[in-house]
Amino acid sequence: MSELVKGMLEDLSPLIFSTEDVEDDDVTEIPLPNVKAAVLRKVIEFCQHHRSEPMTEIEKPLKSAQMAEVVQRWYADYVNVEQVLLFELILAANYMDIKPLLDLTCATVASMIKGKTPEEIRKTFNIANDFSPEEEAQVREENKWCEEP
C-alpha cells in the first residue's frame, strides 16, 4: 500500500470511522494532486496484483536488460509502456511512497540504459547533446576509468 495514502487514512481514521453525523453517501476524499487519473488506475492495478502475487526482489546490479529475466512476467509486461507513462508511474510511485512500484519502474529505466553508449542513451530518451566536441572529449578523458573493464 502507498505509505502516503496509509498515513492520510490514519490521520483521517477518527473522521472516517466515527458514526456520529455520518450519512450513508458521505465519501472521504483523499487528494492526490500530483497523480493523473489514468496513472492512478495503473498504480491501483499494480497494487492489486502485488497484493496477490508479490514481486520478487530486484537484484542490483541488474542481471539483464530484459525485465522478464529480472521480475515475473506480469510485472515485466506491466512496465512495457510508453516512456511518458513510465516516467509518470515513477513520479506517482515516489509521491505516493510505493517502494515496490518505484523499484520496478526505476529498474525498467536502468534496463533501458544497461549496456548502451552515451549516444544510444541520448537517442533512447531523446536527450540533446549540449556538449561541444571539446567538452565531450574532456569529460570522456576525466571519466575514462569507468569505461575500463
Side-chain angles (χ1 to χ4, degrees):
M1 174 187 248
S2 164
E3 293 299 317
L4 174 74
V5 173
K6 185 195 276 183
M8 287 179 174
L9 288 173
E10 287 169 0
D11 291 345
L12 293 172
S13 65
L15 301 173
I16 295 171
F17 299 112
S18 171
T19 55
E20 298 173 20
D21 302 323
V22 175
E23 296 188 21
D24 289 340
D25 56 347
D26 279 351
V27 175
T28 301
E29 204 172 283
I30 298 176
L32 296 171
N34 297 345
V35 183
K36 296 176 185 171
V39 176
L40 183 57
R41 279 192 286 281
K42 284 289 284 182
V43 169
I44 291 168
E45 176 188 357
F46 173 88
C47 291
Q48 288 173 333
H49 187 82
H50 189 269
R51 192 171 182 190
S52 63
E53 181 193 0
M55 183 176 68
T56 56
E57 187 156 341
I58 298 172
E59 292 180 35
K60 296 169 190 96
L62 289 180
K63 61 183 178 183
S64 171
Q66 302 300 315
M67 287 305 293
E69 296 175 15
V70 177
V71 293
Q72 298 102 307
R73 170 63 60 189
W74 186 92
Y75 293 100
D77 292 343
Y78 176 85
V79 289
N80 187 15
V81 295
E82 297 287 326
Q83 272 187 31
V84 172
L85 178 55
L86 180 62
F87 286 108
E88 287 176 339
L89 286 168
I90 289 172
L91 293 173
N94 186 49
Y95 176 69
M96 295 176 70
D97 197 8
I98 305 172
K99 187 178 181 330
L101 180 56
L102 186 59
D103 289 348
L104 176 64
T105 51
C106 287
T108 302
V109 172
S111 74
M112 296 165 76
I113 293 170
K114 189 172 179 65
K116 291 188 175 173
T117 65
E119 292 77 23
E120 292 170 325
I121 294 168
R122 282 190 204 100
K123 185 176 179 186
T124 298
F125 297 105
N126 199 24
I127 301 170
N129 184 0
D130 55 355
F131 287 119
S132 69
E134 296 79 23
E135 290 171 324
E136 189 166 344
Q138 180 183 354
V139 169
R140 286 185 188 277
E141 183 60 35
E142 290 170 358
N143 296 287
K144 191 183 255 182
W145 62 268
C146 68
E147 294 181 12
E148 296 171 357

